[in-house]
């Protein structure tokens, strides 16, 4: 339990540090407008709570919420590495990413690489299996749908030419128009749903993590040392 709590606390810390750096080195309202920041705030909160429960030997966070947080942070990592940081992608921002240095470069790796990998390892190695359900995959889509609505309304309210008016290139209505952005959103939504179903399937086939070994000295009436 101690190792599980420590690992989850480190994931929460990585997410929190990345968010703090982004807010400290940039505009807080702009930073808080990115899906990456939304998901890492969820990771920090969910894994901190999960770490505290593991430390105390209490049941873990509800699978609906833990599974959702895992899906959202995997979306963050996959979209970043396959779309934004991929020179062959039509929506890449490789030039902007290459300009990052110091703390901003470190936070970029924490938010897009460390926390997704950490959350996935926790799911595979430390989380009890067979708790996710197919219906969860549909419910999880509410969060990215909420973000899509937020991003489009925010972009519509900001003046043309405002930097980061649209937080991601594939949501840029000014460049692509609403029909193309709607198609982009639909394609991504279907991909997210498929990924959610994949997590549910993996959850039902992965082995149960080994139980932590318990070292204690029993009373004489209970028998020999254990």
């Amino acid at each position: 339990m101690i190792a599980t709590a420590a690992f989850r606390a480190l994931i929460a810390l990585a997410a929190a540090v990345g968010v703090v750096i982004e807010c400290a080195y940039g505009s807080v309202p702009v930073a808080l407008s990115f899906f990456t920041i939304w998901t890492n705030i969820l990771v920090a909160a969910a894994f901190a709570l999960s770490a505290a429960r593991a430390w105390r030997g209490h049941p873990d966070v509800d699978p609906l919420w833990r599974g959702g947080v895992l899906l959202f942070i995997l979306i963050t990592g996959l979209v970043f590495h396959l779309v934004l940081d991929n020179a062959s992608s039509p929506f890449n921002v490789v030039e902007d990413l290459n300009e990052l240095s110091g703390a901003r470069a470190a936070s970029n790796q924490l938010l897009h690489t460390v926390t997704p990998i950490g959350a996935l390892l926790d799911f595979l190695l430390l989380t009890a299996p067979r708790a996710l359900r197919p219906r969860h995959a549909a419910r999880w889509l509410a969060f990215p749908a909420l973000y899509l609505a937020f991003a489009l309304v925010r972009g519509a309210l900001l003046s043309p030419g405002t930097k980061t008016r649209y937080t991601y290139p594939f949501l840029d209505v000014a460049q692509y128009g609403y029909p193309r952005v709607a198609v982009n959103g639909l394609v991504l939504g279907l991909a997210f749903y498929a990924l959610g179903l994949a997590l549910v399937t993996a959850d039902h086939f992965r082995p149960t993590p080994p139980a932590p070994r318990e070292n204690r000295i029993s009373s004489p009436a209970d028998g020999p040392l254990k």
Side-chain angles (χ1 to χ4, degrees):
M1 290 298 180
I2 295 177
T4 297
F7 184 72
R8 291 174 179 171
L10 286 175
I11 297 173
L13 180 62
V17 169
V19 170
V20 169
I21 291 175
E22 287 299 309
C23 291
Y25 282 79
S27 165
V28 173
V30 171
L32 294 177
S33 299
F34 282 85
F35 187 79
T36 294
I37 302 301
W38 285 30
T39 56
N40 275 277
I41 289 174
L42 288 179
V43 167
F47 275 83
L49 178 58
S50 183
R53 290 191 174 187
W55 178 266
R56 297 168 183 167
H58 293 171
D60 199 3
V61 178
D62 187 281
L64 173 65
W65 298 103
R66 280 295 307 275
V69 170
L70 172 62
L71 174 64
F72 306 149
I73 198 62
L74 288 180
I75 288 172
T76 297
L78 290 172
V79 169
F80 175 78
H81 288 286
L82 299 179
V83 178
L84 302 177
D85 195 26
N86 180 0
S88 63
S89 165
F91 304 115
N92 80 81
V93 290
V94 172
E95 291 185 6
D96 294 336
L97 294 173
N98 288 338
E99 295 178 0
L100 296 178
S101 61
R104 292 296 298 275
S107 71
N108 184 57
Q109 291 304 315
L110 287 174
L111 298 173
H112 295 110
T113 304
V114 174
T115 53
I117 292 176
L120 182 61
L121 289 176
D122 175 79
F123 169 71
L124 294 174
L125 303 177
L126 301 176
T127 304
R130 291 173 285 282
L132 303 181
R133 300 292 180 265
R135 64 178 181 274
H136 291 163
R139 294 180 183 180
W140 293 332
L141 292 180
F143 184 72
L146 175 64
Y147 179 79
L148 174 63
F150 162 80
L152 294 181
V153 170
R154 174 183 178 273
L157 294 176
L158 293 178
S159 302
T162 301
K163 189 176 182 181
T164 65
R165 179 186 178 192
Y166 292 100
T167 47
Y168 296 97
F170 45 81
L171 300 180
D172 193 340
V173 173
Q175 181 174 355
Y176 298 108
Y178 281 104
R180 173 68 184 279
V181 169
V183 171
N184 292 342
L186 178 61
V187 171
L188 288 173
L190 292 173
F192 299 164
Y193 182 58
L195 180 58
L197 290 177
L199 287 178
V200 173
T201 302
D203 181 58
H204 282 263
F205 286 98
R206 63 193 179 89
T208 301
R213 297 184 62 182
E214 201 176 317
N215 295 316
R216 63 182 180 88
I217 299 178
S218 60
S219 64
D222 292 332
L225 295 181
K226 296 180 180 179

